[in-house]
């Protein structure tokens, strides 16, 4: 882990000067950046949020320190449209940046942060990319673009954004190894599994605690149906990636998916109870949405397979209830609806839908536009919850190849594939039964024959007999 934090002179020597005379502010900038890239909280600086606070305390006029405050609030699930104080802080930051003696690069970061906070994620990515044209070693711009491309489902952009700047980085440059994990993830999301595996393993050779590299490798093993190998890898390296408390629960989610594909539903539930649920309230607030995605999608998939998950939905429902009006991402809102349905909270589900429609009517921005395009998915899940399975199929089947626009990884969006299969299995009529069978055959062609696929195929026989 990088821990020799860079001071003012070191940042200048790298061609990335920071407009402050405080060495402590520069060092805390570096510490916060390293923790963001590495998904961990460094106890030596009090964790990521504390190091960001120390940055501002060291120099209250440090524009990039104030920008960090804005970025972390946005990462924690806030948007300016629903938080007047946040809106005021962001607007004040922009005004101060206009007259402050700062670099053009820093001013561009402020403008990008405002776009990000205001819900214009696509436009924010374009702003970060413009920074990288002139400053390809700006790790903050690389990371922010990478994460936001993932949220947008911009898979090729996520891959190519790192590919363009990687040659400019020396292997000895601090934080270099994290770019390998990011590039690997872009490769796996664009189905380039062999080079993705090579890059992920290279990243782990440089830093065995790089959870994004291990996470990328986990995706490769899942997409190539190497489930036993995935379980062994996660088990043997557990002490390395669990140091990254801000994302460790997500690797456990992948571990549960391996069991799911093997047809070992007890194993999947065991991982959920022992790790996914227990870590739900640990780590940093910046990954709130992913925690909700993991819990909701895993429980939903288990229920689709006929597994009684008991009252586990209640914890997820309580987790999402306070943020039901946030609408940071359409993808997150869909998982909130899953939690409402799972916990049998139909009224709150209806309130969520009403809130989403108000959000679409009363706001602007690319995030809002994505939510509007995702409305049919909400309708499909509502139909499924009402046991109108044919309607659920009729809604989602024609748009299934467009769902990438909702964001998330291929593995995360796989819940929609399974949703479609199970809706078709439950819908009455030969057409739906034939469709279910063909969708399962399609899955087998991509992932080989697995116990889960065998069980799904057996259900088509039962459905046909019924």
């Amino acid at each position: 882990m990088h821990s020799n934090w860079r001071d003012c002179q070191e940042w200048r020597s790298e061609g990335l000067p920071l407009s402050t005379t405080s060495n402590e502010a520069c060092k805390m900038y570096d510490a916060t950046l390293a923790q963001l890239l590495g998904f961990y909280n460094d106890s030596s600086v009090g964790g990521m949020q504390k190091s960001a606070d120390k940055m501002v305390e060291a120099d209250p006029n440090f524009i990039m320190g104030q920008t960090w405050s804005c970025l972390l609030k946005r990462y924690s699930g806030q948007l300016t449209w629903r938080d007047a104080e946040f809106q005021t802080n962001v607007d004040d930051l922009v005004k101060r940046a206009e007259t402050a003696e700062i670099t053009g690069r820093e001013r561009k970061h402020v403008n990008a942060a405002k776009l990000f906070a205001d819900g214009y994620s696509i436009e924010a990515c374009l702003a970060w990319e413009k920074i990288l044209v002139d400053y390809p070693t700006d790790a903050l711009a690389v990371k922010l673009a990478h994460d936001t491309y993932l949220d947008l489902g911009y898979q090729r952009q996520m891959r190519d954004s790192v590919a363009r700047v990687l040659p400019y980085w020396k292997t000895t440059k601090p934080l270099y190894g994290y770019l390998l994990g990011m590039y690997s993830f872009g490769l796996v999301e664009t189905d380039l599994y062999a080079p993705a595996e090579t890059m992920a393993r290279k990243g782990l050779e440089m830093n065995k605690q790089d959870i994004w590299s291990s996470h990328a490798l986990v995706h490769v093993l899942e997409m190539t149906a190497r489930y036993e190998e995935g379980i062994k890898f996660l088990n043997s390296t557990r002490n390395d990636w669990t140091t990254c408390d801000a994302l460790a629960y997500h690797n456990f989610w992948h571990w549960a998916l391996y069991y799911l594909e093997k047809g070992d539903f007890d194993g999947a539930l065991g991982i959920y109870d022992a790790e996914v649920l227990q870590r739900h309230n640990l780590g940093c607030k910046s990954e709130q949405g992913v925690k909700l995605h993991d819990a909701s999608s895993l429980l939903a998939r288990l229920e689709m397979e006929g597994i009684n998950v008991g009252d586990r939905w209640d914890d997820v429902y309580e987790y999402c209830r306070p943020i039901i009006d946030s609408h940071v991402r359409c993808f997150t809102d869909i998982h909130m609806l899953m939690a409402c349905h799972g916990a049998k909270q139909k009224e709150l589900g209806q309130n969520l839908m009403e809130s989403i429609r108000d959000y679409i009517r009363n706001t602007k921005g690319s995030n809002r536009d994505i939510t509007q395009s995702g409305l049919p998915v909400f309708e499909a899940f509502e139909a499924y919850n009402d046991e109108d399975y044919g309607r659920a199929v009729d809604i989602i089947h024609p748009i299934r190849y467009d769902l990438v626009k909702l964001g998330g990884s291929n593995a995360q969006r796989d819940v929609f594939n399974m949703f479609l299969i199970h809706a078709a299995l439950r819908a009455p009529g030969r057409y739906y039964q034939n469709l279910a069978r063909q969708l399962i055959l399609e899955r087998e062609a991509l992932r080989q024959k697995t116990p889960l696929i065998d069980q799904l195929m057996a259900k088509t026989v039962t459905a046909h007999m019924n």
Side-chain angles (χ1 to χ4, degrees):
M1 297 284 193
H2 169 55
S3 59
N4 295 316
W5 314 127
R6 289 166 282 185
D7 60 18
C8 296
Q9 178 55 43
E10 288 173 296
W11 281 109
R12 282 195 295 271
S13 68
E14 293 193 13
L16 299 168
L18 296 170
S19 299
T20 177
T21 58
S22 169
N23 282 324
E24 179 65 11
C26 285
K27 289 181 178 181
M28 289 302 98
Y29 178 96
D30 198 11
T32 308
L33 180 62
Q35 291 170 93
L36 183 68
L37 267 70
F39 294 94
Y40 67 97
N41 286 286
D42 190 324
S43 60
S44 71
V45 293
M48 182 161 56
Q49 184 61 61
K50 187 63 177 177
S51 64
D53 293 342
K54 289 179 179 178
M55 196 190 323
V56 177
E57 291 168 5
D59 182 359
N61 296 315
F62 182 29
I63 291 295
M64 285 306 293
Q66 297 165 21
T67 303
W68 264 110
S69 298
C70 167
L71 291 170
L72 290 181
K73 190 156 189 177
R74 172 64 177 81
Y75 260 74
S76 72
Q78 292 295 324
L79 287 169
T80 55
W81 72 270
R82 64 183 296 269
D83 187 329
E85 182 181 358
F86 187 27
Q87 179 75 71
T88 299
N89 291 341
V90 171
D91 291 342
D92 287 348
L93 171 61
V94 172
K95 290 178 181 178
R96 286 194 295 272
E98 289 174 352
T99 57
E101 294 183 3
I102 60 176
T103 66
R105 180 181 67 89
E106 290 170 309
R107 190 167 284 109
K108 289 177 181 178
H109 264 296
V110 171
N111 293 333
K114 175 171 172 53
L115 289 168
F116 191 41
D118 287 345
Y120 289 82
S121 293
I122 295 173
E123 294 79 0
C125 284
L126 293 174
W128 290 317
E129 291 286 14
K130 286 183 178 180
I131 293 173
L132 291 171
V133 170
D134 293 323
Y135 301 94
T137 59
D138 187 326
L140 179 58
V142 176
K143 171 64 172 174
L144 293 171
H146 180 80
D147 286 358
T148 309
Y149 281 142
L150 172 58
D151 288 349
L152 293 167
Y154 280 25
Q155 298 168 310
R156 290 176 297 174
Q157 292 91 328
M158 182 170 59
R159 177 195 65 201
D160 297 345
S161 179
V162 182
R164 284 192 294 271
V165 302
L166 193 55
Y168 291 89
W169 285 65
K170 295 180 180 178
T171 58
T172 55
K173 184 176 177 62
L175 309 178
Y176 166 81
Y178 290 124
L179 267 72
L180 302 181
M182 285 189 270
Y183 187 40
S184 172
F185 191 66
L187 290 167
V188 72
E189 287 301 291
T190 50
D191 305 333
L192 298 171
Y193 301 130
E197 181 169 354
T198 298
M199 195 62 62
R201 293 190 184 280
K202 185 177 179 181
L204 290 171
E205 287 174 6
M206 295 195 68
N207 177 7
K208 65 180 182 178
Q209 293 179 320
D210 177 5
I211 194 170
W212 203 241
S213 285
S214 68
H215 169 255
L217 181 56
V218 163
H219 272 260
V220 171
L221 299 176
E222 180 179 345
M223 294 303 158
T224 53
R226 292 148 64 187
Y227 307 121
E228 286 290 353
E229 186 178 347
I231 291 171
K232 290 178 181 177
F233 167 74
L234 286 172
N235 191 40
S236 65
T237 60
R238 177 174 180 158
N239 290 338
D240 298 326
W241 51 264
T242 50
T243 61
C244 304
D245 58 337
L247 199 66
Y249 63 88
H250 186 61
N251 269 6
F252 279 113
W253 175 76
H254 281 283
W255 196 332
L257 290 188
Y258 291 145
Y259 281 121
L260 201 60
E261 291 291 342
K262 284 164 50 66
D264 184 352
F265 304 132
D266 287 340
L269 266 180
I271 291 290
Y272 179 87
D273 289 339
E275 302 294 350
V276 177
L277 178 62
Q278 296 303 316
R279 294 170 183 271
H280 215 253
N281 294 314
L282 299 178
C284 66
K285 290 176 67 179
S286 68
E287 300 302 324
Q288 269 188 342
V290 184
K291 293 177 180 179
L292 176 60
H293 306 158
D294 290 353
S296 289
S297 64
L298 183 55
L299 292 180
R301 288 187 57 168
L302 284 164
E303 283 197 331
M304 290 176 198
E305 300 303 330
I307 304 303
N308 183 356
V309 301
D311 60 0
R312 291 175 176 86
W313 277 114
D314 294 342
D315 294 310
V316 187
Y317 161 74
E318 288 298 329
Y319 180 80
C320 72
R321 188 164 55 88
I323 56 174
I324 201 124
D325 295 318
S326 58
H327 310 310
V328 175
R329 294 175 59 192
C330 176
F331 194 70
T332 301
D333 283 346
I334 293 170
H335 286 76
M336 284 191 192
L337 187 62
M338 291 184 203
C340 292
H341 290 165
K344 304 295 189 283
Q345 297 289 339
K346 188 167 185 176
E347 182 178 352
L348 188 70
Q350 292 171 342
N351 292 342
L352 170 63
M353 293 307 303
E354 183 177 341
S355 177
I356 289 170
R357 293 186 177 97
D358 285 343
Y359 165 64
I360 292 170
R361 280 193 297 267
N362 300 322
T363 64
K364 297 180 180 179
S366 48
N367 291 26
R368 173 262 180 208
D369 296 341
I370 292 168
T371 299
Q372 184 177 36
S373 70
L375 278 176
V377 181
F378 292 97
E379 294 169 1
F381 273 85
E382 287 190 304
Y384 188 100
N385 190 57
D386 292 336
E387 299 184 0
D388 191 349
Y389 303 116
R391 182 167 181 269
V393 173
D394 293 344
I395 292 172
I396 209 165
H397 184 239
I399 61 171
R400 60 188 295 242
Y401 290 110
D402 296 328
L403 299 183
V404 64
K405 298 175 184 177
L406 302 179
S409 68
N410 293 332
Q412 288 175 309
R413 287 190 313 280
D414 192 40
V415 70
F416 300 138
N417 297 326
M418 299 307 296
F419 171 85
L420 178 57
I421 288 173
H422 282 282
L425 281 170
R426 288 166 169 78
R430 179 172 294 182
Y431 166 79
Y432 295 111
Q433 302 311 311
N434 289 343
L435 176 61
R437 181 178 180 83
Q438 290 179 10
L439 290 170
I440 297 167
L441 290 170
E442 172 193 297
R443 187 177 185 85
E444 181 179 336
L446 291 172
R447 298 199 176 209
Q448 307 173 24
K449 185 179 286 292
T450 66
L452 179 62
I453 287 175
D454 287 340
Q455 291 177 28
L456 289 170
M457 194 59 76
K459 289 179 181 179
T460 67
V461 176
T462 301
H464 179 73
M465 291 174 63
N466 289 338

